Amino acid sequence: MKDKKVYKIIFMQLGEVYEVFTNKIYQSDMYGFVEVEDYIFNKDKQLVLDPSSEKLKKEFAKVERSYIPINAIVRIDEVKESGEAKIKNTKGQVSPFPLNIPPLNKKD
């Protein structure tokens, strides 16, 4: 049987960087969005619980599918196994790609 693919998705959400793991990710029919399904969270494998991981578990507990704007995505990796989901506070170190870039005014 073929191994199930696991993806690590890093994206911006309200000034924080979310790092989550999922089994399904694909381009959405809604223009400019990526669909994410089947989130993976480690089931209490660690003795020390990370508060950001617990926050993510609660936030995505009843979510069937997420639509993430393409400009919010920092990186998507296909990985061999899932890791611990986490939230990182960037403190201005990472900024989203600008959407509306004004054209350069050419002087003839």
Side-chain angles (χ1 to χ4, degrees):
M1 185 173 159
K2 192 174 179 182
D3 289 336
K4 200 171 195 180
K5 292 185 180 184
V6 176
Y7 300 96
K8 177 172 74 170
I9 305 160
I10 303 171
F11 63 96
M12 300 283 298
Q13 173 69 21
L14 301 173
E16 297 176 319
V17 176
Y18 283 34
E19 184 175 306
V20 296
F21 292 86
T22 184
N23 289 318
K24 298 177 185 174
I25 181 169
Y26 42 92
Q27 185 173 338
S28 175
D29 290 336
M30 285 195 301
Y31 182 74
F33 288 85
V34 170
E35 289 186 42
V36 179
E37 296 180 358
D38 200 12
Y39 287 98
I40 303 168
F41 294 103
N42 290 339
K43 306 283 187 207
D44 303 324
K45 292 181 181 177
Q46 299 177 336
L47 294 175
V48 179
L49 295 176
D50 181 10
S52 69
S53 178
E54 292 301 310
K55 179 182 174 185
L56 282 170
K57 282 183 192 178
K58 287 180 185 175
E59 185 172 338
F60 292 104
K62 296 182 181 180
V63 174
E64 278 187 42
R65 179 179 299 128
S66 296
Y67 296 90
I68 302 172
I70 289 175
N71 65 310
I73 295 174
V74 176
R75 183 176 176 147
I76 299 172
D77 294 322
E78 185 176 335
V79 295
K80 294 187 186 278
E81 58 186 44
S82 67
E84 190 66 33
K86 54 188 150 194
I87 300 173
K88 300 176 189 175
N89 192 338
T90 61
K91 297 180 186 174
Q93 296 172 356
V94 178
S95 60
F97 191 78
L99 287 178
N100 297 322
I101 301 172
L104 294 174
N105 291 333
K106 286 190 174 183
K107 308 253 181 187
D108 292 283

